[in-house]
Amino acid sequence: MLRVSPAGTLILLVDDFDDAREMYSESLTFYGYRVTSAGDAATAIEMAVEQQPDLILMDAALPGMSGWDATRALKADARTRNIPLLMLTGHVLTESKERAANAGADGLIPKPCLPDELVREIEAVLKRWPSRVPGTSAEGRRNQAREAAGETADRLAKGRAQQDTKRRRAKKR
């Protein structure tokens, strides 16, 4: 049985076909992922830098810059090299896995694929990149820090209120 993704995992889905983006996006959302998407490599690179997703799903065949070239560019950039990336391709050849690895991809998924197969691959990659799982990612760490700060502020306020109550009681005596 598949484990539903932790809330907050952001996936950047890159595919030039609207129908494919919609289908994968709906499936991943159903499994608990947050999804953002791009229809071309240049937009995907900009979004990866700005949004720092937890994982990128990159179609290999894109107009203009290919998914292979976009993957190489993302893995060469210090701002995005540590984002796990899975290649999606409808042209699975014997050398496709090697080509994906040479481009810097963390795996290759043949298209079309069933949603639960896609989620299994995503989860397998995220297990190899624990720093990208929400709660350990930069966003997750920031959220935990905010929650901890809020809890500390609540405890301090409660402590002050208790001290004020004790002072009032002491004055009445």
Side-chain angles (χ1 to χ4, degrees), residues 49-112:
V49 169
E50 291 170 12
Q51 297 178 8
Q52 290 294 303
D54 297 296
L55 183 129
I56 300 170
L57 290 173
M58 177 76 69
D59 185 20
L62 295 170
M65 179 188 288
S66 73
W68 305 109
D69 291 336
T71 298
R72 279 189 278 281
L74 287 164
K75 292 300 184 173
D77 189 325
R79 299 169 295 176
T80 55
R81 76 171 43 118
N82 292 321
I83 300 172
L85 189 146
L86 288 169
M87 298 290 299
L88 296 167
T89 183
H91 309 286
V92 181
L93 304 170
T94 307
E95 65 272 359
S96 295
K97 281 192 176 188
E98 185 177 328
R99 187 173 181 194
N102 288 339
D106 298 286
L108 179 78
I109 301 172
K111 286 186 353 181

Side-chain angles (χ1 to χ4, degrees), residues 5 10 12-14 23 25 64 66 68 73 75 79 83 93 98 105 108 119 123 125 132-133 135 151-152 159:
S5 155
L10 178 63
L12 172 56
L13 171 64
V14 187
M23 177 190 69
S25 196
S66 73
W68 305 109
K75 292 300 184 173
R79 299 169 295 176
I83 300 172
L93 304 170
E98 185 177 328
L108 179 78
V119 169
E123 288 180 352
V125 168
R132 301 308 296 192
V133 176
E151 289 170 7
T152 301

Side-chain angles (χ1 to χ4, degrees), residues 160-171 173:
R160 284 187 204 119
Q162 288 173 343
Q163 287 175 349
D164 289 344
T165 302
K166 287 179 185 176
R167 282 187 204 124
R168 275 186 256 131
R169 286 183 185 156
K171 285 182 183 179
R173 292 184 193 156

Side-chain angles (χ1 to χ4, degrees), residues 32-51:
Y33 294 96
R34 291 183 307 130
V35 181
T36 187
S37 63
D40 62 80
T43 303
I45 291 170
E46 289 174 18
M47 291 175 74
V49 169
E50 291 170 12
Q51 297 178 8

